[in-house]
Amino acid sequence: MDMQTSSLLDRLFSAGLLIDTGVDGLYGRSGAFEDVITRFERLIDRFGGDDNPEAIRFPPGMNRAHFEGSGYMKSFPQLAGTIHSFCGCELDHVNLLQCMTDGEDWTTEQKATDIVLTPAACYPLYPTIAKRGALPAGGGLFDLQSYCFRHEPSKDPARMQLFRMREYVRMGKPADVMAFREDWMQRGTKLMEQVGLPVEIDVANDPFFGRAGKMYKNNQRSQNLKFELLIPINSVASPTACMSFNYHQDHFGKTWDLKTEDDETAHTACVGFGLERIALALFHHHGLDSGEWPETVRQALWG
Ligand code: ATP
Ligand code: ZN
């Protein structure tokens, strides 16, 4: 597995699709790689655009207060990334430069700013929508895309530290929210079929931290709260999650006091596309030169 994954990364570097920065999971992308992502996003629009979602684009950093309120640190402290900056006086600056010159750790005096790196595209959305007041009749539907950060350095090109998630998020009554998720499991399968990718859908869990995390994982699985659409990238035996279908029940509704038009706590669900993973799946299955991909696939993306 290790040999296989490092060789896929090497092949992507050699082909110039990904560009090495010296840090595992932090890569530059070529024009050809980006073109595939752009075209795939247009295909997503064709499947989801008719529902008239409200499009919002947040930058890849979010309000630290919103991050703290979301409870992310309870569940995934190992993945979070915070933005720290130098906030000292001139003397502190002199000390900092001396530290750097001496090869010592100059980062210890960096102070937390009001921004943390976005861990999933939908996290900034819930407090933003709750601030507007109760949801309109029928609930809400949103279209998001953001670079996300997760501290999980790896030689597996499918596990990056900075990657993009495209998401649709539904808020409203439980039945509507669950129907949305069900619908997207079918759409996701059809969408991947159009670009010639083999898929399976399976129940899944998030990487909750620590011993208490085990209980959350089991609970998430037994209640079918998370499904993933899997496509082989590095290995056929353990295909990679390229889409997730998450039902949060009233978790974010309660956390942010998000209400339906009837003043009930809103339920939420999100459907996420891992854009880099999907691009990698396309390159893995159809070859590293997108100009040479099967005509049907080219038609679906560029047609
Ligand atoms: P995994 O179990 O593989 O770590 P996850 O369940 O934590 O993934 P989600 O939180 O559901 O992933 O994220 C939504 C989508 O983002 C995933 O379906 C996947 O396609 C993509 N994704 C998640 N983590 C990474 C990563 N480190 N690099 C690239 N894409 C990722
Ligand atoms: Zn989400």
Side-chain angles (χ1 to χ4, degrees):
M1 172 82 182
D2 243 26
M3 282 265 304
Q4 246 188 344
T5 56
S6 69
S7 81
L8 175 60
L9 185 59
D10 286 342
R11 286 196 297 129
L12 291 160
F13 285 160
S14 303
L17 288 166
L18 293 184
I19 295 130
D20 192 4
T21 67
V23 176
D24 290 342
L26 180 72
Y27 309 116
R29 282 95 165 128
S30 73
F33 190 93
E34 286 303 290
D35 190 35
V36 168
I37 289 195
T38 305
R39 298 293 171 164
F40 191 84
E41 284 211 78
R42 295 293 77 79
L43 184 59
I44 298 174
D45 293 337
R46 268 180 263 148
F47 275 77
D50 286 348
D51 302 334
N52 287 319
E54 177 182 340
I56 303 183
R57 296 293 178 265
F58 292 104
M62 65 179 285
N63 182 334
R64 176 154 67 100
H66 290 168
F67 173 83
E68 287 165 2
S70 75
Y72 194 82
M73 289 307 277
K74 268 190 216 147
S75 299
F76 315 109
Q78 78 282 17
L79 299 177
T82 49
I83 304 226
H84 283 62
S85 280
F86 171 75
C87 302
C89 63
E90 279 190 57
L91 180 61
D92 298 323
H93 183 219
V94 170
N95 290 336
L96 177 140
L97 292 180
Q98 191 58 50
C99 248
M100 287 180 114
T101 308
D102 298 342
E104 283 167 14
D105 187 358
W106 60 273
T107 61
T108 52
E109 294 300 316
Q110 296 282 99
K111 295 276 184 286
T113 66
D114 289 337
I115 300 175
V116 301
L117 290 165
T118 304
C122 61
Y123 270 71
L125 183 70
Y126 307 105
T128 304
I129 301 308
K131 213 169 108 188
R132 290 181 180 172
L135 292 166
L141 176 65
F142 304 89
D143 161 357
L144 307 174
Q145 197 256 47
S146 176
Y147 257 102
C148 299
F149 174 86
R150 292 184 185 178
H151 185 235
E152 44 183 3
S154 168
K155 295 265 184 232
D156 177 355
R159 190 167 295 286
M160 298 185 177
Q161 297 202 63
L162 275 156
F163 58 93
R164 275 159 291 179
M165 245 184 239
R166 174 78 183 268
E167 285 198 43
Y168 287 110
V169 182
R170 184 82 169 92
M171 304 176 179
K173 298 188 174 167
D176 293 339
V177 164
M178 277 193 284
F180 155 86
R181 187 176 72 145
E182 203 56 45
D183 198 25
W184 267 106
M185 285 202 252
Q186 288 172 23
R187 287 183 188 183
T189 306
K190 262 200 212 138
L191 202 158
M192 297 302 178
E193 256 169 33
Q194 285 199 2
V195 291
L197 293 174
V199 307
E200 57 185 270
I201 290 190
D202 205 355
V203 68
N205 62 263
D206 285 311
F208 292 102
F209 184 75
R211 213 172 296 178
K214 260 204 177 131
M215 199 186 69
Y216 291 122
K217 283 182 195 170
N218 291 338
N219 188 37
Q220 198 179 26
R221 279 181 174 269
S222 65
Q223 294 197 62
N224 286 340
L225 298 182
K226 184 181 186 84
F227 287 95
E228 286 177 340
L229 179 148
L230 307 154
I231 306 175
I233 299 181
N234 286 312
S235 117
V236 179
S238 55
T240 302
C242 291
M243 284 184 76
S244 315
F245 311 87
N246 306 298
Y247 177 35
H248 318 117
Q249 299 171 302
D250 60 2
H251 170 74
F252 289 117
K254 268 192 187 145
T255 303
W256 299 113
D257 199 25
L258 182 64
K259 300 282 195 201
T260 65
E261 83 253 33
D262 311 327
D263 207 35
E264 309 253 331
T265 301
H267 281 226
T268 63
C270 69
V271 169
F273 294 83
L275 295 176
E276 279 77 6
R277 286 188 180 176
I278 291 165
L280 291 175
L282 287 164
F283 284 113
H284 170 70
H285 284 272
H286 303 315
L288 297 188
D289 180 356
S290 52
E292 299 292 318
W293 288 358
E295 197 42 46
T296 49
V297 177
R298 287 201 51 84
Q299 191 59 35
L301 291 172
W302 282 272

